[in-house]
C-alpha cells in the first residue's frame, strides 16, 4: 500500500466543504429542492458562459442525457456507434428501441474510425452516435460530411470532454446534440449529473420538455417525457466545484505529463492534440493483455486500483453482439489500462506507480 492508503483510478474533485455549505444554506432558505429551481438555473447559466455554448439543458446523469438526445431527435432505426466506450452509450440506444451498429475504432485515437462508417450505413441508419473517448475529439469534419451526405443526425457523447475546445469553440457545440456527464468520477462533478448541449433553440426546448414529464411551461402535457431533472442540491455542489475547475484542469495536465515523463516509451499512449484534451483519464497501452493483467495485479497488491476502461469491447457483449467485427477495438480494450489520476494524487505516488510498471515491463 502506498503511504498506507488505497489509490483508486480517480477521486472526485471537491470544493472546500464550507463553500458548498454556504450555497446549500441558500437552498435551505429557499425551500426549493427541484423542478428547475434557482440553483439549477444559475449552474446552467454559468456553465453556458464558461463553455460559451448556446443552449445547455442539465439532467440527472450522462445516461439520461443520451436517452433524451435520441428521443428529442425522434430517432428510430440503426444508430452507428463505437464499441470502445462505456456501456451507457450503447444501452441508451437499445432502451430507446434503436439498434446500435458498431464500427471499429482508429488504433491511434481510440475513436470511431470515420473511414469505416460509410460501409455500415444501410437504409435503416438514422444517426451516428460518436464518443470523444477519454476527451479526444472525434474526426468531426469527416463525420459531418458523411452525416450530410446520408441525411443522418449526429449525437456526440462528450461524457469525458467537458472544457475541451476544438477549432476555437467548445467541443460540446458540435453535432445536433452533444451530451455530457457530471458524475463523481468526471472532471467536473455534481455528484450525479449531466447535460445536453445544442445550438438549436427548438431542440433545446424539446429537451427541457422531455426532462420534465413532457410538460409545457404551463404544465400542459405535450408529449411522453420522463423525469430527468437535476436537483438543487446537486446544482449547489456543481456551483461550488465550478469555481475550482481551472485549477483542476491545470493540475491534471501536470500530473499526466509527469506520468509520461516517468514512463516514457515503456508503454504506448492514445494519440491526441494537447490543445484539445482535458486529461480526464490516464490511459496507457501495454504490449499484450497478459502483461496488463500482471501489472494490474502488482499494483493491486500495493493498494493501487487502476481501471480497464473499456473492457470488453461492447461488440463482444452477448446482448449487444450483432455480427460486426471490430478487431481493433477488441485488441485495444484488452491492452488499455487507465492509471489513477486526480488532483489530490501525490507526485511521489505517481513515481511509485511508474516504478512498479517499469519493473514489470523489463
Ligand atoms: N458515456 C460515456 C462515454 C461514459 O463514460 C459514461 C459514464 C456515460 C456515458 C454515462 O454517464 P453517467 O450516467 O455515469 O453520468 C464510472 C462512472 O460510473 C461512469 O460515470 C463513467 N462513465 C464510467 C467510465 O466510469 P466506474 O465503474 O468506474 O465507477 P466506480 O464507482 O468504480 O468509480 C471508480 C473509482 O472512483 C472508485 O474506485 C473510487 C472512486 N470514486 C467513485 C465514486 C462513485 C470515489 O472516490 N467517489 C465516488 O463517489 O464507473
Amino acid at each position: 500500500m502506498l503511504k498506507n492508503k488505497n489509490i483508486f483510478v480517480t477521486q472526485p474533485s471537491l470544493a472546500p466543504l464550507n463553500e458548498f455549505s454556504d450555497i446549500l444554506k441558500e437552498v435551505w432558505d429557499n425551500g426549493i429542492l427541484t423542478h428547475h429551481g434557482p440553483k439549477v438555473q444559475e449552474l446552467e447559466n454559468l456553465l453556458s458562459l464558461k463553455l460559451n455554448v448556446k443552449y445547455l439543458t442539465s439532467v440527472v446523469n450522462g445516461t439520461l442525457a443520451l436517452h433524451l438526445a435520441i428521443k428529442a431527435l425522434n430517432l428510430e432505426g440503426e444508430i452507428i456507434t463505437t464499441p470502445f466506450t462505456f456501456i451507457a452509450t450503447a444501452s441508451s440506444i437499445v432502451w430507446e428501441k434503436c439498434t446500435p451498429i458498431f464500427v471499429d475504432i482508429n488504433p491511434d485515437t481510440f475513436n470511431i474510425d470515420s473511414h469505416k462508417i460509410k460501409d455500415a450505413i444501410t437504409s435503416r441508419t438514422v444517426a451516428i452516435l460518436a464518443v470523444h473517448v477519454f476527451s479526444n475529439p472525434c474526426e468531426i469534419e469527416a463525420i459531418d460530411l458523411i452525416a450530410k451526405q446520408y441525411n443522418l443526425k449526429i449525437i456526440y457523447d462528450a461524457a469525458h470532454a467537458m472544457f475541451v475546445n476544438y477549432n476555437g469553440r467548445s467541443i460540446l457545440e458540435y453535432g445536433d446534440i452533444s451530451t455530457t456527464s457530471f458524475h463523481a468520477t468526471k472532471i467536473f462533478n455534481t455528484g450525479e449529473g449531466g447535460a445536453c448541449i445544442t445550438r438549436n433553440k427548438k431542440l433545446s426546448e424539446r429537451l427541457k420538455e422531455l426532462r420534465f414529464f413532457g410538460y409545457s411551461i404551463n404544465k400542459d402535457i405535450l408529449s411522453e417525457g420522463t423525469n430527468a431533472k437535476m436537483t438543487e442540491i446537486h446544482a449547489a455542489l456543481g456551483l461550488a466545484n465550478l469555481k475550482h475547475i481551472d485549477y483542476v484542469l491545470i493540475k491534471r495536465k501536470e500530473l499526466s505529463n509527469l506520468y509520461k515523463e516517468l514512463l516514457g516509451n515503456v508503454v504506448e499512449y492514445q494519440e491526441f492534440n494537447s490543445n484539445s484534451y482535458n486529461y480526464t483519464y490516464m490511459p496507457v497501452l501495454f504490449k499484450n493483455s497478459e502483461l496488463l493483467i500482471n501489472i494490474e495485479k502488482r499494483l493491486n497488491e500495493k493498494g493501487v486500483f487502476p481501471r480497464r476502461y473499456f473492457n470488453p469491447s461492447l461488440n463482444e457483449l452477448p446482448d449487444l453482439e450483432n455480427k460486426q467485427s471490430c478487431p481493433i477495438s477488441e485488441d485495444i480494450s484488452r491492452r488499455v489500462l487507465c492509471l489513477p489520476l486526480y488532483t489530490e494524487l501525490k507526485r511521489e505516488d505517481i513515481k511509485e506507480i511508474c516504478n512498479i510498471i517499469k519493473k514489470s515491463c523489463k
Side-chain angles (χ1 to χ4, degrees):
M1 200 185 310
L2 301 177
K3 301 277 177 261
N4 296 321
K5 63 172 172 53
N6 287 334
I7 293 181
F8 297 102
V9 66
T10 195
Q11 189 174 288
S13 298
L14 289 172
L17 186 56
N18 64 313
E19 293 183 19
F20 177 43
S21 57
D22 283 352
I23 304 173
L24 267 188
K25 171 140 193 346
E26 292 174 44
V27 176
W28 253 238
D29 291 345
N30 277 338
I32 304 285
L33 298 186
T34 185
H35 287 191
H36 201 229
K39 292 297 160 204
V40 167
Q41 290 179 43
E42 194 181 337
L43 182 64
E44 287 184 344
N45 290 339
L46 284 179
L47 279 173
S48 301
L49 279 175
K50 177 98 185 146
L51 297 160
N52 199 13
V53 296
K54 213 158 183 187
Y55 303 110
L56 181 147
T57 304
S58 66
V59 289
V60 277
N61 56 54
T63 305
L64 256 294
L66 285 163
H67 285 262
L68 292 200
I70 294 168
K71 197 107 182 155
L73 291 167
N74 300 315
L75 300 180
E76 280 174 25
E78 293 175 356
I79 300 183
I80 289 176
T81 192
T82 169
F84 189 69
T85 182
F86 190 56
I87 182 64
T89 312
S91 61
S92 59
I93 295 175
V94 176
W95 271 57
E96 291 308 323
K97 301 196 168 44
C98 293
T99 309
I101 302 294
F102 296 113
V103 165
D104 211 352
I105 58 168
N106 176 307
D108 301 318
T109 64
F110 305 171
N111 284 328
I112 193 166
D113 187 340
S114 65
H115 296 101
K116 294 182 179 151
I117 291 179
K118 278 190 187 174
D119 284 347
I121 295 176
T122 70
S123 57
R124 286 185 32 82
T125 310
V126 288
I128 301 169
L129 200 178
V131 179
H132 307 299
V133 85
F134 304 139
S135 86
N136 205 20
C138 290
E139 294 158 51
I140 284 180
E141 291 81 5
I143 292 174
D144 233 26
L145 265 178
I146 297 168
K148 281 205 179 83
Q149 195 179 343
Y150 291 88
N151 195 22
L152 307 176
K153 299 291 181 193
I154 305 175
I155 299 172
Y156 282 113
D157 179 344
H160 306 167
M162 280 294 282
F163 305 104
V164 167
N165 285 321
Y166 183 79
N167 281 347
R169 58 185 237 248
S170 169
I171 194 124
L172 302 172
E173 283 231 309
Y174 293 89
D176 292 285
I177 300 176
S178 280
T179 65
T180 193
S181 164
F182 307 149
H183 182 257
T185 55
K186 297 298 189 301
I187 201 141
F188 164 73
N189 86 81
T190 57
E192 290 274 3
C196 293
I197 296 94
T198 177
R199 279 161 293 138
N200 180 319
K201 189 165 187 246
K202 278 220 163 94
L203 265 182
S204 89
E205 284 164 357
R206 174 89 177 118
L207 288 162
K208 286 187 170 60
E209 179 189 307
L210 286 172
R211 79 171 167 187
F212 199 179
F213 306 114
Y215 278 161
S216 71
I217 293 172
N218 303 324
K219 295 207 175 155
D220 298 320
I221 299 165
L222 299 178
S223 63
E224 177 197 317
T226 187
N227 184 356
K229 290 168 272 109
M230 180 180 276
T231 72
E232 290 289 279
I233 322 257
H234 291 89
L237 180 57
L239 286 168
N241 288 341
L242 189 57
K243 291 205 175 111
H244 300 271
I245 191 67
D246 292 335
Y247 169 75
V248 171
L249 291 165
I250 290 169
K251 190 75 191 170
R252 292 178 86 106
K253 182 173 182 176
E254 183 191 309
L255 297 178
S256 179
N257 285 340
L258 177 64
Y259 267 118
K260 280 195 160 179
E261 196 184 298
L262 295 171
L263 288 173
N265 56 13
V266 162
V267 293
E268 290 172 64
Y269 305 94
Q270 181 187 31
E271 199 175 277
F272 63 84
N273 171 353
S274 61
N275 294 321
S276 303
Y277 201 74
N278 66 11
Y279 303 89
T280 193
Y281 293 92
M282 183 65 220
V284 296
L285 199 57
F286 292 99
K287 284 199 179 69
N288 53 56
S289 61
E290 292 74 27
L291 180 61
L292 180 151
I293 290 163
N294 179 25
I295 288 174
E296 191 182 20
K297 189 165 162 266
R298 287 183 189 207
L299 288 169
N300 289 173
E301 282 162 9
K302 293 282 182 185
V304 180
F305 297 91
R307 285 296 287 265
R308 297 186 70 181
Y309 299 130
F310 294 102
N311 177 261
S313 176
L314 293 184
N315 62 298
E316 297 187 285
L317 291 179
D319 284 355
L320 291 174
E321 186 256 353
N322 42 22
K323 303 286 177 283
Q324 294 92 359
S325 149
C326 299
I328 298 172
S329 177
E330 289 166 26
D331 173 55
I332 297 283
S333 71
R334 289 188 189 113
R335 296 193 292 124
V336 163
L337 189 65
C338 285
L339 301 177
L341 184 64
Y342 48 89
T343 45
E344 303 303 317
L345 186 61
K346 301 277 173 287
R347 293 175 74 86
E348 303 78 64
D349 291 336
I350 293 182
K351 285 180 190 160
E352 213 167 322
I353 292 169
C354 292
N355 281 339
I356 295 169
I357 295 174
K358 283 198 280 191
K359 267 189 209 150
S360 313
C361 284
K362 267 185 187 164

